[in-house]
Amino acid sequence: MFYGFDFTNNICYIATYDGKKVEESDLVVCPQGLDERVAFLKGYVANDDRAAVAIEEVDESIQEFSAKLGPAFKVLSKEEAFGYYILGEDNTMWKRQNGAFEFHKDYFRFYEMSREGRILAVSSKRCDMKEVSLTTDKEKDKFFTKQSADVLNVRQINNVFLNGEEFKTDWMKLSLNALCAGRRVFAGNHLFATGALRSLTSNHNHRLELMTEDYHPFVWGIRTYHHGKKDVFAPIIQSGNFWFLTKGYVDVFVDECEELIIEGRNSLNQEKITLKLPLAFKSANPMRTTKLRIEIVCTGIHTILIRISDMGFGKTRAGAGKIFEEEYKLPSITGR
Amino acid sequence: MGPIILCETKEASNSYTFSAFHQEISTYEEMCYYIKEYFIFFVEEGIPDDLLRFVINDLGIRDIETDWKLLNNDKDRLKRLFSCRNYFLPQEVANLMKKYDRHMTLDAATRKSRLGDEYLKQKRYETALKCYKQTNVFQNDARVCYNIGVCYAHLGDLDRAAHYFMQSYKIGGKKKAQYAYFGILMLQGEFTAVKITAGTDYPAFKQEWDAMKEAFAKMSGNDSAYQKKNRIEEMKEQYRREVDEWI
């Protein structure tokens, strides 16, 4: 048996697959804490079963969560679950632009999928609901009309999915008219649970790769001399890892420089970015006796920190420490 | 912008010390830098076995081990060592190999005297002296005689130092050798002898000698006995450095 779980705050949607057909369960109320979720999942899934769990936000705690769940469980973001859902559909779906709205109590989020060659990129934007009061149906309709207009009026989206128990009621009057104009609209509550399930069971052959903003899409590096060859690209960090786990460094010797150039290449669309670091460096020490460490750390989905430190020269001279540090903002994987 | 060289090797947990010039290293890049700086040592004496072991075991450059056995001359071995990881550009390696070839075209005596110069720079006076004595031409070479004098002066044999400074002066006729000779005599308390021997050169020498004394007095003016002792040692060291600079 295969399970797909979709957690949002204190509710959970579950999809199951017994090898013949997918079944969707009713909404289950479950606790929010990491340990409580682990206990809930382990109590639900038998030893020989496999399960995929879609969670709200992917951060450092995903490693602990995965470790506690064990190898029978796969933990993924909702963006990934959405991506797998679309990948499991036919080409009328994945060849087009897709969007999804997720609406639970005090939780509203828009997901967008775009295709660049063989890459399906999924990004999401969560609405801050702290100052939003949605007590009446009219307020909800007005709120959703505005939110959908904000995203759909500036994007060509062919298929829209509505997911969450808040969409169940019949308050959608204004908003539904706008939403259905020129696009297909699907409603349900098990989009992410089914998507998570498909990450285990789907054997599509689209040769498409899924990329979400939880993964850093850029390869960063510097042009150096290497084994006697000039301008060899030395990677500092690679693409494809969770952004919060993405960091790396190279050590180089720079005789002198006016500015240091760091190159980045987006592995999704091959877009190149050049960062020119205003590092006027001329060491007071003899030439080629100052080792510089160029370190790149992802500090957010769209930000990287570049730090350059004087590492000294082995036993001859101790390093002077940090000499340059700056944070850079990067474009979104869907280009927005 | 200068070249950016990618650093491939990690720092070794154990360090290595070049016995020839008492330098401790822990990285491949340091090794390359010091071999270049003290190139004559390595051209004359080859790559020490313990340095090779350090490269293989501590720096983890194991690929050099098999090549090393196949290379049967020191030049190729040096070239292999320079090229096995990143530090020198290809042109820089070529230049060093040219320097190697130029050095090897010199006659044995000149090469020994060059090696002696390197040891002298490292203040390894006895080893330097041994190299100079092996040249067999030192009696006719003002520079070598002067350097032998410097070695003896540092080793405390002032009579021999004075002899070689004088010999250097006789061969080459250079003032620095003569002043070094006078300096030794002054240290031995032979003030009158210096005055008579120096003749018309005495005022110029005296001026330098006084300047040195004045600097010494200024440095040690209000110091305690302990500080004065230290100052004297520093002064002696300074004098030795100045003598060295005349090389």
Side-chain angles (χ1 to χ4, degrees):
Chain A
M1 181 78 90
F2 294 94
Y3 292 88
F5 293 90
D6 164 23
F7 284 100
T8 308
N9 297 337
N10 64 340
I11 57 169
C12 179
Y13 289 102
I14 305 166
T16 55
Y17 179 64
D18 58 1
K20 290 174 187 168
K21 65 171 186 174
V22 176
E23 286 192 2
E24 296 174 347
S25 73
D26 290 337
L27 178 153
V28 179
V29 177
C30 69
Q32 271 182 263
L34 191 141
D35 289 331
E36 289 84 352
R37 280 186 178 178
V38 171
F40 171 81
L41 287 164
K42 285 195 166 176
Y44 211 96
V45 176
N47 283 343
D48 296 337
D49 298 339
R50 290 198 63 206
V53 185
I55 54 172
E56 302 95 325
E57 301 290 343
V58 172
D59 55 23
E60 287 87 340
S61 67
I62 194 172
Q63 289 174 302
E64 190 187 349
F65 191 43
S66 295
K68 284 186 173 177
L69 284 171
F73 290 85
K74 176 182 178 181
V75 183
L76 67 166
S77 65
K78 291 205 178 196
E79 288 93 329
E80 280 180 288
F82 179 42
Y84 281 114
Y85 183 89
I86 300 296
L87 279 173
E89 296 291 305
D90 58 24
N91 63 5
T92 59
M93 198 68 82
W94 57 258
K95 275 191 174 174
R96 303 195 173 191
Q97 301 290 100
N98 297 288
F101 291 99
E102 189 184 14
F103 197 9
H104 305 283
K105 193 175 185 325
D106 300 328
Y107 188 100
F108 186 87
R109 195 168 178 179
F110 172 68
Y111 299 82
E112 182 189 8
M113 171 183 284
S114 59
R115 191 166 64 94
E116 292 258 4
R118 287 180 180 173
I119 303 285
L120 274 183
V122 188
S123 64
S124 74
K125 192 180 176 189
R126 192 170 164 177
C127 178
D128 185 6
M129 302 290 280
K130 279 177 188 167
E131 294 180 8
V132 180
S133 169
L134 301 175
T135 49
T136 64
D137 285 355
K138 198 176 176 184
E139 279 174 344
K140 282 183 187 173
D141 196 20
K142 198 176 166 188
F143 168 78
F144 184 54
T145 305
K146 187 185 178 306
Q147 293 296 326
S148 56
D150 281 353
V151 290
L152 299 177
N153 288 354
V154 292
R155 293 162 170 83
Q156 176 63 42
I157 290 180
N158 310 100
N159 304 308
V160 174
F161 294 83
L162 305 180
N163 188 77
E165 72 282 0
E166 289 292 313
F167 282 124
K168 269 192 168 178
T169 53
D170 56 354
W171 50 261
M172 298 170 75
K173 289 183 176 123
L174 273 176
S175 51
L176 202 58
N177 287 338
L179 202 62
C180 293
R183 57 181 73 85
R184 296 194 292 175
V185 179
F186 304 90
N189 286 332
H190 292 75
L191 175 70
F192 301 108
T194 310
L197 185 66
R198 283 182 181 178
S199 75
L200 298 173
T201 59
S202 179
N203 53 355
H204 61 80
N205 55 356
H206 311 318
R207 295 174 69 193
L208 292 170
E209 283 185 48
L210 190 62
M211 192 83 180
T212 71
E213 292 196 317
D214 299 316
Y215 297 94
H216 188 69
F218 285 88
V219 177
W220 294 100
I222 187 167
R223 298 270 165 198
T224 63
Y225 269 94
H226 183 48
H227 290 189
K229 288 178 187 163
K230 197 180 174 184
D231 287 342
V232 177
F233 183 77
I236 300 172
I237 56 176
Q238 296 283 6
S239 62
N241 287 322
F242 283 126
W243 67 265
F244 47 85
L245 298 177
T246 301
K247 58 183 172 184
Y249 68 84
V250 289
D251 291 337
V252 293
F253 284 91
V254 181
D255 289 344
E256 58 182 80
C257 69
E258 299 296 320
E259 59 183 10
L260 207 59
I261 297 169
I262 307 279
E263 289 180 21
R265 196 186 69 241
N266 191 325
S267 56
L268 303 178
N269 54 15
Q270 305 304 313
E271 176 197 2
K272 285 185 179 173
I273 296 179
T274 302
L275 300 177
K276 291 182 178 177
L277 279 56
L279 177 75
F281 177 79
K282 190 172 183 182
S283 176
N285 302 301
M287 197 163 274
R288 216 169 294 168
T289 59
T290 302
K291 187 191 283 185
L292 294 183
R293 174 160 293 176
I294 304 170
E295 194 177 2
I296 300 183
V297 182
C298 278
T299 50
I301 292 170
H302 297 136
T303 49
I304 57 165
L305 180 85
I306 300 180
R307 185 184 298 126
I308 296 175
S309 311
D310 172 2
M311 301 302 290
F313 193 49
K315 288 277 176 192
T316 309
R317 186 173 60 79
K322 186 175 72 184
I323 55 175
F324 177 88
E325 187 175 271
E326 195 159 323
E327 197 167 52
Y328 292 86
K329 196 163 174 14
L330 306 172
S332 158
I333 59 168
T334 47
R336 296 179 207 283
Chain B
M1 189 166 83
I4 297 174
I5 316 287
L6 181 66
C7 179
E8 287 180 284
T9 52
K10 301 285 175 201
E11 193 162 341
S13 49
N14 300 320
S15 61
Y16 173 82
T17 304
F18 288 108
S19 55
F21 41 90
H22 305 295
Q23 179 62 51
E24 195 180 6
I25 62 163
S26 59
T27 60
Y28 171 78
E29 295 80 20
E30 276 179 295
M31 181 196 72
C32 289
Y33 175 78
Y34 286 111
I35 291 179
K36 186 192 169 199
E37 287 295 300
Y38 302 102
F39 197 57
I40 302 296
F41 284 120
F42 298 95
V43 174
E44 282 296 320
E45 297 178 349
I47 301 294
D49 287 341
D50 55 348
L51 177 60
L52 184 66
R53 280 198 299 277
F54 169 75
V55 171
I56 295 166
N57 299 328
D58 296 296
L59 293 176
I61 306 174
R62 299 189 191 282
D63 49 313
I64 203 169
E65 194 173 10
T66 44
D67 296 352
W68 204 259
K69 290 169 190 164
L70 301 173
L71 300 168
N72 47 19
N73 67 63
D74 284 345
K75 185 187 168 186
D76 289 343
R77 286 177 170 179
L78 263 177
K79 192 176 177 183
R80 180 73 185 95
L81 197 59
F82 287 154
S83 315
C84 69
R85 292 292 183 273
N86 292 332
Y87 187 73
F88 291 117
L89 307 183
Q91 189 56 47
E92 290 168 342
V93 175
N95 289 343
L96 281 167
M97 291 304 107
K98 277 183 194 166
K99 191 176 172 183
Y100 185 99
D101 290 337
R102 276 202 303 275
H103 183 80
M104 295 311 276
T105 55
L106 300 172
D107 60 81
T110 313
R111 278 165 45 197
K112 275 287 171 201
S113 100
R114 293 268 171 94
L115 183 61
D117 294 346
E118 291 297 320
Y119 277 117
L120 184 57
K121 278 184 201 165
Q122 297 309 314
K123 303 189 190 322
R124 294 188 61 187
Y125 304 110
E126 277 186 56
T127 319
L129 204 52
K130 212 176 277 178
C131 291
Y132 289 131
K133 289 288 180 78
Q134 282 173 5
T135 62
N136 295 325
V137 294
F138 64 89
Q139 286 168 343
N140 300 320
D141 189 324
R143 191 183 63 82
V144 174
C145 281
Y146 180 85
N147 288 349
I148 291 173
V150 172
C151 291
Y152 278 125
H154 282 285
L155 292 170
D157 192 342
L158 297 184
D159 289 338
R160 282 191 182 165
H163 167 75
Y164 279 101
F165 284 137
M166 178 48 91
Q167 195 169 342
S168 171
Y169 175 64
K170 280 179 184 167
I171 300 166
K174 290 196 174 176
K175 284 263 186 272
K176 68 171 185 182
Q178 192 187 27
Y179 285 2
Y181 170 70
F182 292 152
I184 295 292
L185 292 185
M186 293 292 267
L187 287 174
Q188 289 176 316
E190 303 281 352
F191 307 116
T192 318
V194 171
K195 199 168 185 178
I196 294 165
T197 318
T200 53
D201 281 336
Y202 184 74
F205 167 72
K206 190 70 172 54
Q207 200 177 342
E208 277 197 23
W209 183 255
D210 288 342
M212 200 190 274
K213 270 170 64 180
E214 195 180 329
F216 174 75
K218 200 175 175 181
M219 283 169 72
S220 56
N222 299 319
D223 293 343
S224 65
Y226 175 75
Q227 285 170 321
K228 273 182 186 172
K229 194 180 169 189
N230 282 344
R231 293 286 183 200
I232 290 167
E233 289 304 318
E234 281 175 23
M235 194 67 190
K236 281 182 184 172
E237 191 58 35
Q238 189 188 349
Y239 171 74
R240 285 169 187 159
R241 277 201 298 272
E242 284 178 15
V243 171
D244 288 345
E245 281 169 14
W246 290 349
I247 297 169

